[in-house]
Amino acid sequence: MDQTFVDLLSGNLDHAAAFDDRFDGLQAAQHPHTVTVCCSDSRVLQDHMWGNEDPGRIFTCGNIGNRVVQRTDEGDVVSGDVLYPLAHTGTETAVVVGHTGCGAVTATYDALTGEVADLPGIEGCLDLLKPLLEPGVEALPDGLSRPESINRLVEYNVDRQVGTLVGSDDVPPEVEVVGAVYDFQDVYGGDRGEVHVVNVDGERAVADLRSAYPAIQDRIRRLWTY
């Protein structure tokens, strides 16, 4: 067996020893206050980015491209893993978290601007992103470098995923939907690993967001206004 997995099991013993009594109040049910939808990227530490050490606090979802959509026979709908806590556990905050240098956004950009093929399962994920990102690709300013284009599309993708949640009849109206970008490339300035809020309930204007949410105004910023 690979030594890396053996090391993971060893680390789990430390986790279990430290967390044992933290599960006492969570045996019968969960009531997380927030659901996060992050990209399934090894560099995106879903709980640690918030400094979270408490089980039951955050309902974490991860997939290629931090999508909130799944395809069904009836059409595209809000993904069940995102919808479950909003519909059944009293969760009232949803946070879509993109990240700088996103591989899923990069692959979608390449697929929209050239001939790129991948494994069917991966292409199925990209097919859910393509119709959302295509207008963003067309709207990119001239003269951007490839990394600059990708990071603007990361924001654009977050905006579109937020819009999907805000516009869905399946999402309870009292749910607040936040869009954010996890920056481990120092694209936004500040420390690597900071989360920057780019969208709240569909509002993207930085000045308006800072006025509406003064407690987090220094964490609200965008790369792209369109």
Side-chain angles (χ1 to χ4, degrees):
M1 179 172 287
D2 186 89
Q3 184 60 41
T4 299
F5 182 65
V6 174
D7 293 342
L8 289 176
L9 285 175
S10 177
N12 172 253
L13 292 178
D14 296 333
H15 163 82
F19 274 67
D20 181 43
D21 60 357
R22 300 191 192 187
F23 293 101
D24 288 348
L26 301 170
Q27 298 302 300
Q30 60 171 325
H31 300 286
H33 62 67
T34 299
V35 54
T36 60
V37 189
C38 300
C39 189
S40 53
D41 187 299
S42 64
R43 300 165 294 182
V44 178
L45 306 175
Q46 292 203 43
D47 277 289
H48 282 254
M49 73 168 69
W50 313 110
N52 182 52
E53 296 281 342
D54 297 325
R57 187 180 179 202
I58 301 175
F59 192 104
T60 57
C61 307
N63 59 58
I64 292 176
N66 43 273
R67 306 181 320 274
V68 303
V69 176
Q70 71 182 64
R71 189 152 290 165
T72 71
D73 292 340
E74 287 73 36
D76 291 355
V77 298
V78 174
S79 180
D81 51 359
V82 181
L83 193 58
Y84 176 82
L86 301 178
H88 294 294
T89 70
T91 301
E92 293 189 351
T93 302
V95 186
V96 178
V97 186
H99 68 90
T100 50
C102 178
V105 171
T106 301
T108 305
Y109 172 79
D110 289 341
L112 289 169
T113 57
E115 295 295 329
V116 178
D118 213 317
L119 297 171
I122 297 174
E123 286 197 341
C125 295
L126 300 183
D127 285 344
L128 291 171
L129 290 174
K130 286 177 185 176
L132 297 177
L133 290 186
E134 187 169 13
V137 172
E138 294 173 353
L140 285 169
D142 294 334
L144 293 178
S145 67
R146 178 178 170 84
E148 289 171 335
S149 296
I150 298 305
N151 284 323
R152 279 158 179 75
L153 289 173
V154 165
E155 278 188 354
Y156 189 85
N157 181 43
V158 168
D159 291 335
R160 297 302 302 273
Q161 305 299 332
V162 168
T164 297
L165 292 178
V166 170
S168 173
D169 292 337
D170 293 332
V171 176
E174 65 272 14
V175 171
E176 183 173 66
V177 184
V178 179
V181 176
Y182 179 64
D183 181 14
F184 51 76
Q185 297 180 329
D186 196 19
V187 172
Y188 287 78
D191 293 332
R192 292 179 180 175
E194 283 190 6
V195 172
H196 302 283
V197 174
V198 300
N199 190 317
V200 180
D201 288 334
E203 177 59 67
R204 299 183 285 112
V206 170
D208 291 342
L209 288 171
R210 287 177 175 171
S211 176
Y213 305 100
I216 61 166
Q217 61 179 313
D218 60 334
R219 305 298 296 277
I220 298 171
R221 62 191 71 186
R222 290 186 63 91
L223 296 175
W224 190 20
T225 301
Y226 55 87

